[in-house]
Amino acid sequence: MHVIEVLLFAIPALWVCYNLLFCMAATFSRKKKSDFAAPEKHLRFAILVPAYREDAIILSTVQHHEALRYPRGAYDIVIIADSLQPETLAALAATSAIVIPVSFEKSTKAKALNVAFASLQETYDGAIISDADNLLDPDFLLKMNRAFLDGHQVIQARRVAKNIDSPFAILDTANEIIANHIYRKGSNALGLSSSVIGSGMVFNYRLIKHIMAQIDATGEDKILQMMIAEKKVFRETGIPVQPILYMEHALVFDEKIDNPAAFAKQRKRWLAAQYSYLWQYRANGWDALRHGNFDYLNLFLCHNLMPPRMLLLAYLTIMPGLYLLLGSYLSLPISWWLILWALNACCLLLPIPRKFFARYFVQAILNLPRAIGIMLALLFRLKGAENTFIHTSHHKTVINNPLVDAEG
């Protein structure tokens, strides 16, 4: 009984210590500034936008991308039109975007991207993978151009909320801020690759075309980062190895879910991919451990073993309550659990900007129990989700995020 009790404490303690290490590394790291305004050369980029049934927003997204502050002849907007309506396709034909219609029995982002790579005749320097609801900051391409000229091959931009207009959007925004701070900024601060998020990702064009040709599944961002961290693809393409760079000052605005049903669908897809790939690539993980590839171990083992932060918070809240009820039967002091809870709270609260506490914190706390309940229920409904494309619909076309200047 004592051994079980120690394990029930020690495993979450490892998770909390891991998060705390990366959180503190990010907190005390220096911000890197780069002069991107007058580059010696403008590289060519392709903005790849898989659009599955995104008729409500795709025209607005194209118009936004057309207005980026970058020479218009130096980048192409590529819309991979999956199941769009005929009138939407006709409207897109009147824009400057390259439109590639696709149709699949089972749609995935990986399939759509591979069709685009096979269809595009031109070879670009870089490829931006951006969801249909994403809006890039006006200087996004200038910043990526500078990073590429400085030698970076794989970059993750800072994804921020496009909208903070509902209780679940507030929770989703807080979750994104925390993840950016710990798993992206914190990883880079410790010399490791940032994790990628599925959108706002920028790659050497030849590298990502080579990688995507080997992927035909949902949760492609998980596979992407593992293949990059494994480093084999760099040897195969002859491209210099670089850790995945997190560019905190390059923003990509992402529509946040605004209702419980969308929240459940999104989290189900994420959880299923996380645990499916942990099992599927376990042999590669042991290989990386033997060869001392800490970048791969971090992105594969640590990130995939880590439970969702909401579930970890729920666990660390419930356990002290059990000790209050059953303390006479248990051996560990309740103070250990309270300290662990406080350390976990530090990991969650340190990244959050002050403006969030002033405007949104109470709403986030009030809706947290419901979100945790949804997450707990999803644990019993993950079967088959990793093989299913679960679409989240979008409808926001403007940016409404008062926190942008406060984050980071």
Side-chain angles (χ1 to χ4, degrees):
M1 182 68 184
H2 178 68
V3 172
I4 294 171
E5 189 183 352
V6 169
L7 286 174
L8 289 174
F9 177 84
I11 293 172
L14 285 174
W15 293 331
V16 171
C17 289
Y18 173 90
N19 282 339
L20 187 62
L21 171 65
F22 282 74
C23 182
M24 298 309 291
T27 301
F28 292 106
S29 66
R30 293 183 180 180
K31 289 186 178 180
K32 296 178 181 178
K33 294 184 179 180
S34 180
D35 182 13
F36 56 84
E40 59 271 27
K41 181 181 180 183
H42 287 103
L43 300 176
R44 283 195 52 74
F45 290 96
I47 303 176
L48 303 171
V49 185
Y52 177 76
R53 296 184 178 178
E54 297 286 13
D55 301 88
I57 60 167
I58 193 61
L59 286 172
S60 174
T61 299
V62 170
Q63 290 163 6
H64 178 91
H65 290 344
E66 288 177 328
L68 296 176
R69 288 195 283 262
Y70 199 74
R72 189 64 192 87
Y75 73 98
D76 286 330
I77 304 161
V78 182
I79 305 300
I80 311 160
D82 188 351
S83 306
L84 296 185
Q85 296 298 317
E87 53 268 30
T88 305
L89 292 173
L92 285 171
T95 70
S96 63
I98 298 170
V99 181
I100 302 174
V102 296
S103 180
F104 307 105
E105 186 178 342
K106 291 184 178 180
S107 294
T108 68
K109 187 190 289 188
K111 289 177 182 177
L113 289 168
N114 279 320
V115 170
F117 284 126
S119 303
L120 293 169
Q121 300 301 312
E122 186 172 353
T123 298
Y124 301 87
D125 297 293
I128 295 98
I129 296 178
S130 184
D131 286 346
D133 62 298
N134 292 162
L135 301 180
L136 308 178
D137 90 54
D139 291 326
F140 189 90
L141 291 179
L142 285 169
K143 294 168 183 176
M144 292 304 160
N145 186 67
R146 180 71 267 160
F148 268 65
L149 291 174
D150 289 342
H152 295 285
Q153 307 295 330
V154 185
I155 303 161
Q156 174 62 60
R158 176 157 67 105
R159 199 168 68 180
V160 298
K162 186 197 285 188
N163 58 296
I164 314 180
D165 51 5
S166 72
F168 273 87
I170 291 169
L171 282 173
D172 208 5
T173 298
N175 183 64
E176 190 93 86
I177 293 170
I178 295 165
N180 281 338
H181 189 80
I182 296 176
Y183 305 122
R184 289 176 260 289
K185 186 176 180 180
S187 293
N188 272 189
L190 292 173
L192 298 169
S193 283
S194 160
S195 63
V196 298
I197 331 171
S199 64
M201 305 181 296
V202 187
F203 299 88
N204 174 293
Y205 187 84
R206 189 157 51 91
L207 180 68
I208 187 59
K209 184 175 181 179
H210 177 78
I211 293 173
M212 288 307 304
Q214 303 173 55
I215 300 175
D216 181 23
T218 57
E220 72 291 327
D221 52 326
K222 293 282 184 187
I223 305 174
L224 263 175
Q225 68 181 16
M226 288 189 288
M227 291 179 70
I228 291 165
E230 197 178 12
K231 299 183 173 61
K232 186 171 69 173
V233 291
F234 291 99
R235 294 192 298 271
E236 292 170 349
T237 55
I239 295 168
V241 176
Q242 285 273 5
I244 302 171
L245 175 69
Y246 173 57
M247 284 191 72
E248 189 176 16
H249 59 288
L251 306 184
V252 54
F253 294 88
D254 177 69
E255 183 174 332
K256 295 306 169 192
I257 46 90
D258 57 5
N259 62 81
F263 178 87
K265 284 169 62 178
Q266 187 185 69
R267 265 43 183 192
K268 182 177 183 179
R269 183 177 72 243
W270 292 358
L271 278 171
Q274 176 177 335
Y275 295 121
S276 169
Y277 294 134
L278 177 63
W279 176 254
Q280 188 176 337
Y281 290 90
R282 63 193 184 281
N284 299 39
W286 292 119
D287 232 29
L289 181 62
R290 286 197 300 272
H291 292 94
N293 186 345
F294 297 109
D295 216 19
Y296 190 91
L297 282 173
N298 181 50
L299 291 175
F300 166 72
L301 193 62
C302 299
H303 284 205
N304 286 327
L305 279 175
M306 184 72 59
R309 286 175 295 280
M310 287 185 188
L311 295 184
L312 181 58
L313 175 62
Y315 178 82
L316 294 177
T317 302
I318 291 168
M319 290 306 290
L322 289 177
Y323 270 69
L324 284 174
L325 293 173
L326 306 171
S328 57
Y329 302 99
L330 302 170
S331 57
L332 295 182
I334 189 173
S335 59
W336 288 20
W337 287 100
L338 295 175
I339 290 169
L340 196 58
W341 188 94
L343 291 175
N344 185 61
C346 286
C347 297
L348 301 178
L349 297 178
L350 270 177
I352 303 293
R354 291 179 184 178
K355 192 181 286 188
F356 184 93
F357 290 103
R359 296 189 59 168
Y360 304 109
F361 187 68
V362 173
Q363 288 187 67
I365 292 297
L366 290 175
N367 286 278
L368 188 58
R370 188 178 184 185
I372 289 173
I374 291 172
M375 295 290 288
L376 286 169
L378 287 177
L379 290 176
F380 302 97
R381 293 192 280 121
L382 294 180
K383 188 175 181 180
E386 72 278 7
N387 299 317
T388 305
F389 178 68
I390 303 174
H391 174 61
T392 304
S393 61
H394 303 99
H395 56 275
K396 308 287 183 183
T397 58
V398 296
I399 297 168
N400 176 22
N401 183 352
L403 295 177
V404 168
D405 293 335
E407 288 184 49

